[in-house]
Amino acid sequence: MTWAPERISSLQLSRSTPLQLLRSLGSGPRGLVESEAEKRLLRYGENVLPARRVPSLPIIFLRSLRDPFTAVLASLALVSAAVAAWATAAVIAVLVVVSCALRAAGEHRADRSAAGLRELVASTATVLRRSDEEAAPVPREVPVDQVVPGDVVRLAPGDLVPADLRLLRATGLTMHQAALTGESAPVPKYPVDEPSARLSSAEAQPLALDAQDFDRPEVCFQGSSVASGGGTGVVIATGGDTRFARADKLPGNDRRTTAFDRSVYGISWILIRFMLLTPPLVLMANAALRGRGLETLPFAVAVAVGLTPEMLPVIVTTTLARGASALARTHQVIVKRLPALHDLGAVDVVCLDKTGTLTQDRPVLDCALDASGTPDDSVLHWAAVNSLWTVQLAELPSADALDEALLDAAEERFPDGLDALEYDAVTVLPFDPVRRLSTAVVRTPHRFGRHTLVVKGGVEDVLERCALTGDERERAVALADRLAADGLRVLAVALAERPAATRPYTTKDERGLTLQGLVGLRDATAETAADALSALLHRGIAVKVLTGDHPGTAARACRELGLEPGEVVTAASFDGLGDTELGELADRTTVFARCSPEQKARVVRVLRERGHVTGFLGDGVNDLPALRASDVGICPPEAVDVARETADVVLAAKDLTSLDHAIVAGRGCGATIAGYLRITLSSNLGNVIAMLTAGLLLPFLPMLPSQVLVQNLCFDAAQLAFAYDRPQAGALRRPLKLRPREVLATVTGFGVLNAAADLATFAVLVWAVSHTRAETAFHAGWFTENLLTQALVMVLLRTGRGGKVPVTAGILALTGLLLPLSPLGPLIGMTALPPAYYPLLALVLALYAGALHWLTRRTRRTAAP
């Protein structure tokens, strides 16, 4: 039968026997011939995930133009060019290009750094290949991307599964599937002659991710890794056909609007509406009250530009790029999407997966108890004897993780270390996934002709082989249930002394055992997880644990890390709730257990809908929907490739406390951007109000378009200092949310105050200047006053610290005083002012500074939590 790729899904989910499957795939136990493997590679492509190429610099630059504010600035440049205001058009165009270039360079650098993490993924696989049909199969190491359907792959401890496999043979094989399911415990895998008749819903819906498929013992999935044992399997799906790749195609995986979109972009859209309304309003008002026509169009465009914080894209991009660069350099945190750094500063809820983030895929001993529940080191002793000789004599490819944990504990607990376990071993009956226990047979010390069977395994499987009364069995089961409910993996240990057998021992000898006790093991916590959680709580961030693991396991891990779990909620208990009820539950719940990927994403989504800014920290395929549903997707360095591709922030160092550094950096950037917006919009709004009022009262324009342009250029150049300002410590203590309505309410108050100072200056100018040169003197006086008030605003409204802003504000003030007196003054329609003007201007500025200082303190007091 000729193999056809379109039949791959039905093949892997069918009831085919291994032989039927091999025939259908055009393969066999001896593997593929090299020439056939090459043909399949050419025909069906490399074994890689669907293309995720790093976008080129020009592509990222063009994407930056989709920013709404950048697009409006580009439109204003075109309008300015249309009315022959070439200087204005050129300046705006330069700002647009600089902003997009900075943003593109930063994001391209982050994309390349994230792509470099691909080296953490396995690069080769061991396959059986033949040179021709008659040749013997030879194990070969081939690049993972060269693996094709029908290849026979060998698995050894520590290997990452290169593709979806159907097992042909296995010896003590267990797999880590936490990246796919969230379950921290290794899953036993073994071949079966005929799989279950149950057909996955994925056969009808190829993109569905049925969690029950991962329970199939005969299938090993790409993205999982070998915990212990070994095996051989045939490849049934590669590349985009694997379960691993399908998880990335789930419906609803598109990213939603983030906190940056709702804040900075929200303010931008409000300003855009005002900017679009300003030119027609100016034209209509001047036509109605002053009889002016289209000659005021350049002035109207200049007023619209004056309202615009032209430097916003440059300031935002420069601030975020500097913060992202510093994080990558000092803390190995890669920010792939620059606005995500702002969002990190606004995060007030961090949701995270347990396995792979808070805990390691490595068990450690928690307790060893006798049958009555009393701590007893002899139980650990016999459990370690079983582990030692199982590892030594069973000829397994490597020790099971549970055996390693017991041996490590014994080495620490006993004075003689592992020497105390050196019995004279006879044989072992290794663990298999059917009977779920292992037996080591050793010679009984000081009793010639006697052997001791040391049995260790699943509680129910060991108890059914023990000679126990009904009450004793119930007590043992109850003790095991209590330990399991507390989040432990529980093993039972039993002994039996027998006369030395002259025949080989079999599983039939595992009867009439005496129960010694139980050992409980827990997941080892990540080294820096406790410090990371403490830092998050100290920063005023709520932590929610969303895991597919057992409720007791999740609660225990939280307690060990200093996070009070409270009442653990399982997915089954909230699945029927509406979004409103679930949102209320999520606000007061710390741990959600037994969650599917979609349920994790739903919890994140309802938290966002309740006004929270959410971050999600996850490392597996099962975390992809939640990573996309959050405002900021974060992953650790060991995350699977698609999780690193999806995340906005990658913690490249094996140190979760780097997340705290990233949040602090994000808050610093957010504080800088918020301070810039308040200062610039207050000044711009006040100037526009005063300019429009004066334009209607004066027989001439209050400022010429060229003067407005020069003023904007001076102020814009000075504002670049904000990108290098350092925030005050108080701005880093709590999440920083930039709410458009609150910002605009504050800006309106300061803008009206600024307009009052401008209009007071207007009155002074009307009184002070002579009529012969009233127009040019008025222009010069107002130009000087505008730059001086803007310098005051920069100093008094700033929330950061550092010397660059005061120095820049001083230079701006000097420019306002000296430019009208310089040879450049007459070139742009300004003349020297009479001396009487300056004392009156100083009085206006002193009153303005006092009022500004009072309003600033009042606003900050009101805003303080």
Side-chain angles (χ1 to χ4, degrees), residues 638-658:
E638 300 86 357
V640 297
D641 191 45
V642 289
R644 290 199 300 271
E645 294 283 359
T646 302
D648 302 306
V649 177
V650 180
L651 309 179
K654 294 185 177 181
D655 183 357
L656 289 179
T657 58
S658 60

Side-chain angles (χ1 to χ4, degrees), residues 327-390:
L327 277 175
R329 186 173 59 254
T330 58
H331 300 293
Q332 295 184 329
V333 176
I334 299 172
V335 180
K336 295 173 54 186
R337 185 177 61 87
L338 283 183
L341 187 55
H342 164 276
D343 295 342
L344 271 176
V347 161
D348 60 352
V349 175
V350 168
C351 301
L352 43 82
D353 184 34
K354 178 188 74 70
T355 307
T357 52
L358 297 182
T359 61
Q360 307 173 48
D361 290 331
R362 180 176 64 84
V364 294
L365 180 73
D366 184 83
C367 62
L369 310 174
D370 64 18
S372 65
T374 304
D376 187 346
D377 282 350
S378 69
V379 178
L380 171 61
H381 172 88
W382 287 114
V385 167
N386 174 283
S387 295
L388 177 66
W389 293 111
T390 298

Side-chain angles (χ1 to χ4, degrees), residues 280-293 295-296 695-696:
L281 287 176
V282 172
L283 287 173
M284 288 188 292
N286 276 277
L289 299 178
R290 288 292 176 182
R292 299 168 184 154
E295 67 271 14
T296 59
L696 297 177

Side-chain angles (χ1 to χ4, degrees), residues 213 427 476 604 659 668 822:
D213 287 338
T427 189
V604 172
L659 177 58
S822 72

Side-chain angles (χ1 to χ4, degrees), residues 90-257:
V91 170
I92 296 175
V94 168
L95 292 174
V96 168
V97 171
V98 169
S99 170
C100 291
L102 286 171
R103 182 169 182 174
E107 294 193 1
H108 184 64
R109 191 183 306 113
D111 283 339
R112 292 182 61 186
S113 298
L117 293 175
R118 291 178 184 273
E119 63 190 24
L120 298 175
V121 181
S123 57
T124 63
T126 303
V127 300
L128 294 181
R129 293 274 177 90
R130 294 174 287 155
S131 57
D132 56 57
E133 292 287 352
E134 304 302 324
V138 177
R140 283 192 52 197
E141 290 287 324
V142 301
V144 166
D145 58 12
Q146 305 297 300
V147 173
V148 296
D151 258 329
V152 175
V153 177
R154 286 184 175 177
L155 298 175
D159 285 352
L160 287 176
V161 179
D164 287 353
L165 309 176
R166 171 80 176 269
L167 284 174
L168 304 176
R169 292 182 295 278
T171 304
L173 181 64
T174 61
M175 306 293 299
H176 284 303
Q177 293 189 161
L180 301 170
T181 64
E183 287 281 1
S184 58
V187 178
K189 294 287 184 177
Y190 48 90
V192 296
D193 289 334
E194 189 170 326
S196 167
R198 180 189 67 81
L199 291 179
S200 167
S201 59
E203 187 168 353
Q205 304 175 24
L207 296 185
L209 190 63
D210 191 339
Q212 295 180 17
D213 287 338
F214 295 120
D215 295 335
R216 299 175 73 96
E218 76 279 9
V219 181
C220 297
F221 296 94
Q222 185 185 49
S224 58
S225 61
V226 179
S228 64
T232 302
V234 60
V235 175
I236 57 176
T238 60
D241 293 320
T242 63
R243 271 284 188 242
F244 189 87
R246 290 179 189 177
D248 197 32
K249 302 177 185 175
L250 286 173
N253 272 358
D254 295 332
R255 180 170 293 285
R256 300 171 66 98
T257 302

